[in-house]
Amino acid sequence: MKSLRVDGQRNRERIVAAASALVARDGAQASLEEIARRAGVGSATLHRHFPTRQALLEVVFREGVAQLCAMASAQPGRNPAAELAAWLEEVTVYTATHRGLAAALLAGPEGLSPWELCCTDMLLEVLNGLVARASSAGAIHSGATAEDLLRLVNAIAVANEQDAPTARRVLRLALLGIRP
């Protein structure tokens, strides 16, 4: 991507922020016109930065996943079970409230584009670390894998799209089953 002027970068950031909020509210089919309006830019500006809906959604999802991964990386490791559970809860709620992301992650490598696969890899990389710490501390069942937990989180999120409180409650119940 070529370097943007300061005003262009600011517009891009406002478009992504507006898109993230509207995707959380309306799902992947959020109105591009409403996104542009909320960002305070014209439709042409939105399309200059993001020529397709898919291009915009990819950035929204990638940035959300990057934030989730940063949260996991910031965990101090003092209470591995609680840190793993808290992060899985964040992923579940994010996925449940960002319709489309859960379905993409559940599709597996066969259905994902290289871009989407990168997001899955990002999640698995940090989740592997959290699982390893929790497993070493004897806080989770030795057979629990990062891949299994990611599938679990996504299944719960898909089943409870747009219902974060229920997704959170169901995940907490499911996590009781991975304790030794």
Side-chain angles (χ1 to χ4, degrees), residues 75-112:
Q75 297 290 346
R78 287 186 208 103
N79 188 341
E83 292 168 1
L84 173 63
W87 188 76
L88 289 171
E89 195 171 305
E90 290 292 329
V91 173
T92 302
V93 168
Y94 176 82
T95 306
T97 57
H98 286 74
R99 290 184 286 177
L101 178 60
L105 292 173
L106 270 180
E110 302 79 27
L112 297 175

Side-chain angles (χ1 to χ4, degrees), residues 63 70 101 116 118:
E63 288 191 5
L101 178 60
E116 293 162 324
C118 175

Side-chain angles (χ1 to χ4, degrees), residues 1-171:
M1 178 170 79
K2 75 177 189 177
S3 181
L4 295 173
R5 296 184 331 210
V6 172
D7 61 331
Q9 181 61 36
R10 188 173 42 246
N11 284 342
R12 185 179 192 286
E13 289 168 1
R14 290 189 345 225
I15 291 167
V16 171
S20 183
L22 289 171
V23 167
R25 187 187 81 190
D26 300 336
Q29 295 306 313
S31 163
L32 294 179
E33 289 300 318
E34 188 174 350
I35 291 169
R37 256 191 318 277
R38 187 175 279 196
V41 301
S43 181
T45 299
L46 182 143
H47 288 287
R48 238 186 337 274
H49 287 278
F50 303 100
T52 66
R53 173 183 300 278
Q54 185 64 28
L56 177 57
L57 291 177
E58 287 176 356
V59 170
V60 167
F61 293 145
R62 178 178 41 178
E63 288 191 5
V65 169
Q67 289 173 359
L68 290 167
C69 292
M71 291 161 108
S73 297
Q75 297 290 346
R78 287 186 208 103
N79 188 341
E83 292 168 1
L84 173 63
W87 188 76
L88 289 171
E89 195 171 305
E90 290 292 329
V91 173
T92 302
V93 168
Y94 176 82
T95 306
T97 57
H98 286 74
R99 290 184 286 177
L101 178 60
L105 292 173
L106 270 180
E110 302 79 27
L112 297 175
S113 71
W115 163 254
E116 293 162 324
L117 185 61
C118 175
C119 286
T120 302
D121 286 349
M122 288 168 55
L123 288 168
L124 284 173
E125 182 178 331
V126 296
L127 184 52
N128 274 317
L130 292 171
V131 167
R133 284 196 309 225
S135 186
S136 292
I140 62 172
H141 189 278
S142 62
T145 68
E147 292 82 2
D148 291 339
L149 293 176
L150 189 57
R151 280 188 199 96
L152 174 69
V153 162
N154 282 312
I156 291 169
V158 167
N160 297 286
E161 273 189 346
Q162 300 304 77
D163 188 359
T166 300
R168 182 178 278 121
R169 183 178 51 77
V170 171
L171 175 69

